[in-house]
């Protein structure tokens, strides 16, 4: 299973954009890049996913490097409710998700 | 629309006992996956089912088993409980188990405490 590398923690100010990086140098051509987040005492919440092209949805944007060896989750205006652990996950031909330690995002008012 | 539901929300068992956890997927979803999350760590994959057939299994002992029913709900069974089985057990559902319709949506989990 291909692995991802994320910073352990990041800080952001409320109402400012947040860029969460993820490195996945061993990604294969069929691996999708998924982002989930998890608030304390809750199940993981799907955020966004993509294969090759940048993706946007109501929650966030996903920017994928041209060589696909890295990606960035972009929260356009952080709110206090965005404070969570963010997981960057690669999944291939099956839906099995291999979670790492993720990035703990703190949002300061 | 209702999301993934799990029951019970909390459970306390003693070592050596057996436990059954239940999961109802989002309507229309045919795949269910189970994950174990120990405190302070990311979720670990246990099983994936699609159309009642096991499609994937993680690195867990045979004490862990699961099944999926014709209505796509699922049960996770754990026998001979150990203290280390104390964790949040998460269920996730998806339309399929292969791309592109395999995005998983998680339930709130069942908190299992083994004493």
């Amino acid at each position: 299973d291909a692995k991802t590398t994320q910073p352990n923690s990041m800080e952001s100010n409320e109402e400012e954009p947040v860029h969460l990086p993820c490195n996945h140098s061993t990604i294969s051509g069929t691996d999708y890049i998924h982002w989930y987040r998890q608030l304390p005492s809750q199940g993981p919440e799907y955020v966004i996913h993509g294969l090759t092209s940048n993706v946007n949805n109501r929650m966030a944007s996903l920017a994928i490097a041209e060589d696909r060896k890295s990606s960035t989750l972009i929260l356009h205006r952080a709110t206090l409710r965005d404070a969570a652990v963010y997981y960057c996950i690669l999944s291939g031909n099956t839906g099995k998700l291999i979670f790492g330690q993720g990035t703990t995002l703190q949002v300061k008012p | 629309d209702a999301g993934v539901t799990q029951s019970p929300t909390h459970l306390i068992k003693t070592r050596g006992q057996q436990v059954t956890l239940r999961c109802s997927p989002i309507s229309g979803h045919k795949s269910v996956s189970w994950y174990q999350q120990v405190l302070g760590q990311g979720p670990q994959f246990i099983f994936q089912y699609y159309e009642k057939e096991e499609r994937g299994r993680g690195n867990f002992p045979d004490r862990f088993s699961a099944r999926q029913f014709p209505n796509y709900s699922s049960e996770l069974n754990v026998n001979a409980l150990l203290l280390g089985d104390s964790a949040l057990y998460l269920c996730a559902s998806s339309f399929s188990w292969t791309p592109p319709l395999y995005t998983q949506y998680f339930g709130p989990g069942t908190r299992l405490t083994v004493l």
Side-chain angles (χ1 to χ4, degrees), chain A residues 26-93:
Chain A
T26 60
I27 190 171
S28 72
T30 57
D31 283 337
Y32 281 76
I33 303 160
H34 296 256
W35 283 83
Y36 284 80
R37 70 181 185 183
Q38 188 172 25
L39 279 66
S41 301
Q42 295 187 22
E45 177 186 25
Y46 167 76
V47 178
I48 200 166
H49 78 284
L51 184 61
T52 57
S53 303
N54 294 343
V55 185
N56 299 295
N57 66 20
R58 64 175 180 81
M59 290 182 68
S61 296
L62 175 60
I64 302 173
E66 194 169 339
D67 63 5
R68 300 212 322 129
K69 294 186 176 182
S70 66
S71 61
T72 302
L73 178 70
I74 303 166
L75 306 178
H76 297 286
R77 288 180 72 240
T79 70
L80 297 179
R81 291 178 297 177
D82 291 323
V85 179
Y86 286 78
Y87 295 100
C88 170
I89 303 165
L90 302 182
S91 63
N93 293 325

Side-chain angles (χ1 to χ4, degrees), chain A residues 30-32 34 36 38 41-46 49 87 91-101, chain B residues 33 35 37 40-45 48 55 88 90 97-100 102-108 111:
Chain A
T30 57
D31 283 337
Y32 281 76
H34 296 256
Y36 284 80
Q38 188 172 25
S41 301
Q42 295 187 22
E45 177 186 25
Y46 167 76
H49 78 284
Y87 295 100
S91 63
N93 293 325
T94 73
K96 179 174 69 172
L97 299 176
I98 307 298
F99 288 78
Q101 291 298 313
Chain B
S33 299
Y35 294 80
Q37 186 171 26
Q41 297 183 16
Q44 300 296 306
F45 172 76
Q48 182 177 43
R55 299 292 183 172
L88 180 67
L90 296 158
W97 71 291
T98 56
Y102 69 170
T103 298
Q104 295 184 30
Y105 298 88
F106 284 80
R111 173 71 62 187

